[in-house]
Amino acid sequence: MAMLKTALTLSARSVNSVQARTFVNNDAVKKWAFNLSGFNQYGLYHDDVRFENDEVKEAIRRLPQNLQDERAFRIQRALQCSVMKTVLPKDQWPTYEEDRQKGRYLTPYLNEVLAEKAEREEWAKNA
């Protein structure tokens, strides 16, 4: 009986305990995953490799022309590297820090498109 009580106490304690470390906000893990993903070896940013659904296509359409041109160049260069079965020289790979600064260029436009979509759905629901 005592062993059962001890086991129940230990199991209850492990469920209620709070983890001291999380791997979600660990920069070392994020850098490791960034380098492991491989799209940086082709010179691509985070938002260059998004799946292009209707919302993403609308956000791309709203981008300023210079950002659209830069995005098209990066994607064409990556396709060329893929066809040639090679990667860019290491000095042309975007770093993790550069990707965090410049690689999320589509996110504000995408958030705007999603907010408009939610607003349209809300209006349609109330109509």
Side-chain angles (χ1 to χ4, degrees), residues 98-109:
E98 181 183 354
D99 185 70
R100 296 297 287 181
Q101 290 174 356
K102 296 181 183 178
R104 309 295 198 259
Y105 61 90
L106 196 59
T107 305
Y109 299 96

Side-chain angles (χ1 to χ4, degrees), residues 53-59 62 108-126:
N53 56 17
D54 292 335
E55 291 85 12
V56 173
K57 287 179 183 177
E58 176 62 23
R62 294 181 183 189
Y109 299 96
L110 186 58
N111 290 340
E112 182 180 302
V113 169
L114 293 174
E116 288 174 7
K117 180 181 177 185
E119 185 177 352
R120 275 194 305 272
E121 289 173 356
E122 186 66 31
W123 277 99
K125 187 170 66 172
N126 291 336

Side-chain angles (χ1 to χ4, degrees), residues 1-100:
M1 188 66 161
M3 290 188 67
L4 179 62
K5 190 174 186 179
T6 305
L8 289 174
T9 305
L10 289 175
S11 66
R13 188 179 310 151
S14 65
V15 170
N16 294 331
S17 67
V18 177
Q19 289 182 343
R21 286 193 229 183
T22 62
F23 292 106
V24 177
N25 292 326
N26 189 341
D27 277 342
V29 173
K30 288 181 180 181
K31 286 181 184 179
W32 174 77
F34 171 77
N35 289 322
L36 187 66
S37 67
F39 63 80
N40 63 326
Q41 297 176 7
Y42 293 100
L44 295 172
Y45 288 143
H46 175 269
D47 283 350
D48 293 336
V49 294
R50 282 189 181 265
F51 178 74
E52 290 190 17
N53 56 17
D54 292 335
E55 291 85 12
V56 173
K57 287 179 183 177
E58 176 62 23
I60 292 169
R61 190 187 67 74
R62 294 181 183 189
L63 281 174
Q65 190 61 43
N66 65 329
L67 290 178
Q68 286 182 13
D69 293 341
E70 291 172 3
R71 180 177 191 276
F73 173 77
R74 287 190 301 270
I75 291 172
Q76 288 174 355
R77 182 176 59 178
L79 287 172
Q80 182 66 27
C81 287
S82 179
V83 167
M84 294 176 60
K85 298 189 185 301
T86 184
V87 295
L88 292 173
K90 196 161 184 142
D91 63 336
Q92 294 181 17
W93 295 3
T95 62
Y96 173 76
E97 291 77 17
E98 181 183 354
D99 185 70
R100 296 297 287 181

